Amino acid sequence: MKSLGDLIALTRSIGRNASFSIPARNGNCIINSRPRPRAQPPKYLSTLFAAARVIAAAHAGWRGALSGIVEATVATMEKLGAKRERTVAVIGPSISQRAYEVGADYRERFLAEEPGSEAFFVTDDSSGEPHFDLAGYVADRLARAGVGTVSDLGLCTYCDETRLFSYRRSQHHGEVDYGRQISAIVLA
């Protein structure tokens, strides 16, 4: 899936007639099995999950991803009847690695907490600063959690100035406000 249209199609194809309702909240995550909309305004990266009669929206910025929000979401979805291997996760718009410059202290802190995450950092040739692949890291965590299908829309909030908002971009351009995005998934 590489388009917003695919994401809309996904939300329409997850089924009707959910038979139970046990909403659960875990950190920056909303999980639902009742036919009604659930939405969440992401500041960094939203990930939408769908399985048979269970949906979830998780804010998986670097802190949430590093602290296990992806795994907690999948585990809670399983308690509501979802199967990991049949779950679909879509990573929404986020800052791309090319635009996500982080400091060396950030990189060191991240590597101290998850030593195997070196592959998600590159050093920019012109600035010498590390850049982090947040969407790639979240996709990796989803795969390691056993999620059956993982898709990244590949939309950069920093680079796509005409369609997407970015706090970081607004700060770099000296803008007063940066707007908001919302990601939603509906169980109908």
Side-chain angles (χ1 to χ4, degrees), residues 97-102 121-131:
Q97 184 176 39
R98 181 172 58 93
Y100 197 12
E101 182 177 302
V102 296
F121 291 90
V122 296
T123 302
D124 183 72
D125 291 335
S126 61
S127 70
E129 293 294 328
H131 284 231

Side-chain angles (χ1 to χ4, degrees), residues 44-45 59-67 94-97 99-123 128-138 141 168:
Y44 298 105
L45 180 145
H59 169 218
W62 73 268
R63 284 185 185 93
L66 187 59
S67 66
S94 64
I95 191 165
S96 66
Q97 184 176 39
Y100 197 12
E101 182 177 302
V102 296
D105 56 333
Y106 170 100
R107 182 178 174 278
E108 295 310 315
R109 176 181 173 192
F110 208 94
L111 293 175
E113 291 190 43
E114 186 163 351
S117 60
E118 179 72 39
F120 302 102
F121 291 90
V122 296
T123 302
E129 293 294 328
H131 284 231
F132 181 60
D133 182 5
L134 177 59
Y137 178 71
V138 170
R141 296 284 297 236
R168 184 175 286 230

Side-chain angles (χ1 to χ4, degrees), residues 144-157:
R144 286 189 279 151
V147 171
T149 303
V150 178
S151 296
D152 178 2
L153 294 178
L155 298 172
C156 177
T157 53

Side-chain angles (χ1 to χ4, degrees), residues 170-171 174-178:
S170 73
Q171 297 303 296
E175 298 167 351
V176 177
D177 192 19
Y178 58 94

